[in-house]
Amino acid sequence: MSRRVVIRIADLPARRALHGPRSGLAIGPPRRLVRLARIVALAVIIGMAIAYLYFAASAWHMADAAAYWNAAVRLRDGRELYPVVSNVEASDVYRYSPWFAWLAIPFTYLPMQLAGAIWSAVLVAASTIAMMPLARRGAWLGIVFFWPVLIGISAIGNVQPLMIAALMLGVERRSGPLWIAMAASLKVFPLLYVLVYVGRGEWRKAGLTLAMTALFVGPFLVYRLEHYPTSAGGAAVLIAWPLLYLAVAAASGLLTLMLARSPWAWLAAATTVCLSLPRLFVYDVTYMLIGGAHEPSQPQQVDGQ
């Protein structure tokens, strides 16, 4: 009698797997609740997408591009690249490496509206190209979420879409160190993607990334930096609590090193980049795209199963 009871108890998982909710033994939230949660999440994502696209269409003002334009004009006219600024949060404050301003100099010989139209086209194209890895994976909901955010930042002329597209398509290629180094010279914290190379023991790639970053950042030394804006401004998040900020960044970086050989390596690195940012804006969520482009579309099977 006891043996029969044991056999029946042992059969319960199989019965649950076969019959699901009908057996009365289903574990997890009700299907209706799951379906409702998905509908709500989808509605929120679609609502945000519409809001970003509306913002882009109604307020395409390219304010951030003024920083690149003005920096290039200063270089062209022989003035200081990093002058005194009265408001560190102003859109026209130039914080990037000098090489980016050098590349912008040819644009200053064009009519401003034409230069703005060309730069807008570049950013929209980059925003769309950045979606290609997600499209190949069939991650359409991810596209619905991220593409409008990139279009929204394109509307203010920020270089973010171009940088994200380069990282999306390049980090796993032989040219990966180049794209990480260029991004790091523009916004510093993308350098943390190098943790994946370090954790994998890809020392050549890691060394190239650091060397190229030094080359891109080196031109800083040619210019006077006493007025360079170092304040994080009002958008500071964790940096307001330095010890917590350092602890979170360090823990996230350590986790990235631990996961570097897993399918989630780039997702962990992207999370580390976001958590390490001293200033956090909505469009910074697009750093997570690099993780979404390279994570597995399906759970990997255990060997032999």
Side-chain angles (χ1 to χ4, degrees):
M1 185 64 146
S2 60
R3 186 176 180 183
R4 289 183 180 179
V5 173
V6 171
I7 291 174
R8 288 177 181 177
I9 292 175
D11 285 345
L12 286 179
R15 290 174 177 269
R16 184 169 54 215
L18 290 173
H19 301 290
R22 293 182 181 179
S23 66
L25 298 170
I27 298 176
R31 289 185 177 181
R32 289 182 180 179
L33 183 60
V34 173
R35 189 180 299 113
L36 177 61
R38 289 176 177 174
I39 292 174
V40 171
L42 182 61
V44 170
I45 290 173
I46 292 176
M48 290 178 60
I50 293 173
Y52 271 104
L53 293 176
Y54 175 78
F55 160 78
S58 61
W60 199 283
H61 51 70
M62 304 290 286
D64 282 10
Y68 319 144
W69 175 277
N70 293 339
V73 169
R74 288 196 297 272
L75 285 179
R76 189 190 67 184
D77 296 344
R79 292 182 283 136
E80 288 189 47
L81 178 58
Y82 305 106
V84 177
V85 295
S86 57
N87 180 10
V88 296
E89 296 187 56
S91 297
D92 60 349
V93 174
Y94 188 77
R95 301 173 183 268
Y96 311 111
S97 182
W99 69 265
F100 192 61
W102 297 344
L103 289 183
I105 289 177
F107 282 90
T108 64
Y109 293 98
L110 298 174
M112 186 177 291
Q113 290 185 339
L114 176 58
I118 294 173
W119 184 237
S120 295
V122 168
L123 294 178
V124 171
S127 300
T128 304
I129 291 172
M131 296 298 104
M132 291 174 57
L134 295 186
R136 286 195 294 266
R137 292 163 52 83
W140 305 114
L141 190 58
I143 294 174
V144 171
F145 178 79
F146 284 107
W147 187 73
V149 175
L150 287 175
I151 294 298
I153 194 61
S154 297
I156 64 175
N158 194 285
V159 72
Q160 184 86 357
L162 191 59
M163 193 177 68
I164 293 297
L167 291 170
M168 284 280 285
L169 302 180
V171 289
E172 283 285 18
R173 299 176 181 271
R174 293 179 60 185
S175 59
L178 172 64
W179 308 120
I180 294 176
M182 291 179 67
S185 72
L186 295 176
K187 300 201 175 184
V188 182
F189 290 91
L191 181 60
L192 293 172
Y193 287 114
V194 78
L195 291 175
V196 174
Y197 298 151
V198 174
R200 290 176 177 174
E202 296 178 342
W203 303 113
R204 182 175 178 274
K205 280 189 172 182
L208 281 173
T209 302
L210 297 178
M212 289 181 179
T213 301
L215 288 175
F216 282 119
V217 173
F220 269 113
L221 302 177
V222 179
Y223 298 90
R224 298 175 59 185
L225 299 176
E226 59 264 33
H227 302 308
Y228 182 86
T230 57
S231 172
V237 186
L238 285 178
I239 202 171
W241 301 277
L243 293 180
L244 177 61
Y245 170 72
L246 292 174
V248 169
S252 184
L254 180 61
L255 183 61
T256 299
L257 291 173
M258 295 171 60
L259 295 175
R261 296 181 184 273
S262 77
W264 313 107
W266 294 109
L267 184 60
T271 303
T272 299
V273 172
C274 289
L275 291 177
S276 301
L277 293 170
R279 302 199 314 161
L280 190 63
F281 298 100
V282 173
Y283 64 79
D284 287 323
V285 72
T286 57
Y287 285 116
M288 301 301 293
L289 271 168
I290 288 77
H294 300 285
E295 68 177 1
S297 55
Q298 297 178 349
Q300 290 190 338
Q301 293 183 344
V302 178
D303 293 342
Q305 294 186 0

